């Protein structure tokens, strides 16, 4: 009886800790939304209080001040373009490393592992010079290609782990049925690592959506700015007496990342918990 009660007590403590951790992540989101519908005086004087009135004009003001449609378009192109290139190349590279018996596969995998250890800040100057040399200045590819390259190492390693968990008999059965290597890859193998692709895609999307360092040196010109750059300028150029407009701008620009996480949450749980690919 004491053992059972101790087990229940431990589970209760664990649940309380998890609930408190979840609330700690939700508090900034709550504060951001509440701030976005407050008037200027209440937003500056009582930022944590309940809104006395719903000031939705903050959203229209923020929308006009920093040209949010243009920023959303730019960030969407950057993140989606990098995501497509990275996942397409990563899944093919991972398949070649794990399933095609290529020479020095372990060396190649170690090469990508080392790529995860190099901080982006160390490579900012070389990347900038490479972008300028290739004539990508002022184009979307100035950010799409670096974003894809810096996300590729983690994507390849996770997809490799999933591919290693798939029985070889799957490919042998496909070969007996007359499938070519390409047909086997696109019709059988790639769909089986969908949880890894969705997980990496979501993490990469959110990371690149909020990325600032590379965008600050590669997104040249007002027409090419990303959301983090524009928000930084918003803080520096405009009068910050109305924090409600600031909250509205942050709320609008955060919605795409939140929506992506909500729709991909189930796939992420399958990849992290239910799949044996990460063993």
């Amino acid at each position: 009886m004491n053992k059972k009660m101790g087990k229940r007590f431990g589970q209760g403590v664990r649940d309380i800790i998890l609930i408190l951790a979840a609330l700690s992540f939700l508090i900034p989101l709550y504060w951001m939304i509440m701030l976005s519908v407050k008037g200027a005086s209440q937003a500056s004087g009582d930022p944590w209080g309940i809104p006395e009135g719903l000031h939705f004009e903050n959203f229209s003001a923020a929308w006009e001040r920093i040209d949010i449609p243009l920023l959303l378009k730019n960030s969407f192109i950057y993140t989606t373009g990098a995501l497509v290139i990275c996942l397409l190349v990563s899944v093919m590279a991972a398949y070649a490393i794990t399933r095609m018996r290529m020479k020095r596969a372990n060396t190649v995998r170690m090469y990508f592992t080392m790529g995860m250890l190099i901080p982006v800040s160390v490579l900012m100057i070389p990347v900038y010079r490479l972008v300028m040399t290739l004539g990508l200045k002022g184009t979307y590819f100035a950010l799409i290609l670096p974003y894809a390259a810096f996300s590729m190492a983690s994507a390849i390693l996770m997809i490799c782990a999933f591919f290693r968990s798939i029985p070889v008999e799957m490919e042998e059965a496909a070969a007996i049925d007359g499938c070519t290597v390409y047909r086997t890859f696109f019709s059988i193998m790639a769909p089986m690592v969908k949880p890894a692709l969705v997980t990496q895609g979501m993490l990469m999307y959110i990371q690149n959506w909020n990325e600032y360092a590379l965008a600050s040196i590669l997104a040249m010109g007002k027409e090419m700015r990303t959301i983090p750059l524009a928000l930084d300028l918003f803080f520096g150029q405009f009068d910050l007496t109305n924090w409600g407009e600031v909250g509205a701008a942050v709320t609008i620009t955060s919605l795409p990342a939140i929506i992506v996480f909500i729709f991909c949450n189930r796939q992420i749980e399958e990849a992290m918990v239910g799949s044996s690919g990460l063993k």
Side-chain angles (χ1 to χ4, degrees), residues 76-97:
F76 178 79
I77 292 174
Y78 289 134
T79 53
T80 304
L83 185 149
V84 171
I85 293 175
C86 177
L87 293 185
L88 183 61
V89 175
S90 297
V91 71
M92 291 190 292
Y95 182 76
I97 292 171

Side-chain angles (χ1 to χ4, degrees), residues 195-212:
L197 296 177
V198 174
T199 301
Q200 279 296 321
M202 192 224 64
L203 296 176
M204 178 182 170
Y205 197 96
I206 295 177
Q207 177 183 354
N208 291 338
W209 187 271
N210 298 317
E211 199 278 331
Y212 178 84

Side-chain angles (χ1 to χ4, degrees), residues 21-276:
L23 290 176
S24 68
F25 286 104
L26 292 175
I27 287 175
L29 182 63
Y30 164 82
W31 178 79
M32 178 182 69
I33 296 175
M34 292 296 102
L35 188 65
S36 67
V37 294
K38 291 180 179 180
S41 59
Q42 187 187 9
S44 59
D46 186 19
W48 291 100
I50 302 297
E52 297 175 355
L54 299 180
H55 295 267
F56 292 109
E57 65 273 11
N58 292 335
F59 290 91
S60 59
W63 188 277
E64 295 174 358
R65 280 197 177 192
I66 58 175
D67 197 0
I68 288 180
L70 175 64
L71 299 177
L72 291 175
K73 184 193 76 170
N74 289 344
S75 292
F76 178 79
I77 292 174
Y78 289 134
T79 53
T80 304
L83 185 149
V84 171
I85 293 175
C86 177
L87 293 185
L88 183 61
V89 175
S90 297
V91 71
M92 291 190 292
Y95 182 76
I97 292 171
T98 58
R99 314 297 290 194
M100 299 189 70
R101 299 183 179 89
M102 63 178 294
K103 293 182 179 180
R104 299 181 177 86
N106 291 330
T107 303
V108 175
R109 188 162 54 245
M110 183 61 64
Y111 171 79
F112 288 112
T113 303
M114 292 175 60
M116 296 179 61
L117 305 177
I118 302 176
V120 176
S121 57
V122 176
L123 301 175
M124 289 178 67
I125 295 177
V127 169
Y128 174 80
R129 297 191 62 177
L130 182 61
V131 167
M132 299 298 290
T133 302
L134 295 177
L136 299 177
K137 176 183 177 181
T139 68
Y140 288 114
F141 284 102
L143 266 181
I144 288 176
L145 295 181
Y147 280 174
F150 284 118
S151 303
M152 202 169 292
S154 61
I156 289 176
L157 293 178
M158 175 177 275
I159 298 170
C160 280
F162 272 76
F163 273 134
R164 285 197 299 270
S165 69
I166 300 175
V168 181
E169 289 76 13
M170 299 290 295
E171 293 165 285
E172 293 176 349
I176 292 174
D177 290 338
C179 292
T180 63
V181 174
Y182 301 101
R183 177 71 180 277
T184 301
F185 171 74
F186 286 107
S187 300
I188 299 175
M189 301 301 289
M192 295 187 71
V193 296
K194 181 182 176 182
L197 296 177
V198 174
T199 301
Q200 279 296 321
M202 192 224 64
L203 296 176
M204 178 182 170
Y205 197 96
I206 295 177
Q207 177 183 354
N208 291 338
W209 187 271
N210 298 317
E211 199 278 331
Y212 178 84
L214 282 174
S216 64
I217 64 172
L218 297 178
M220 304 173 187
K222 183 178 179 180
E223 299 298 318
M224 306 302 294
R225 288 174 185 164
T226 63
I227 287 174
L229 285 179
L231 290 178
D232 182 53
L233 294 174
F234 182 80
F235 294 146
Q237 292 181 358
F238 296 104
D239 183 13
L240 293 183
T241 56
N242 190 348
W243 284 95
E245 292 184 13
V246 176
V250 176
T251 300
I252 295 173
T253 55
S254 300
L255 282 178
I258 295 173
I259 292 172
V260 168
F261 176 80
I262 291 174
F263 280 97
C264 298
N265 184 47
R266 183 176 179 182
Q267 291 288 344
I268 295 170
E269 291 179 356
E270 292 178 359
M272 296 298 183
V273 180
S275 175
S276 62

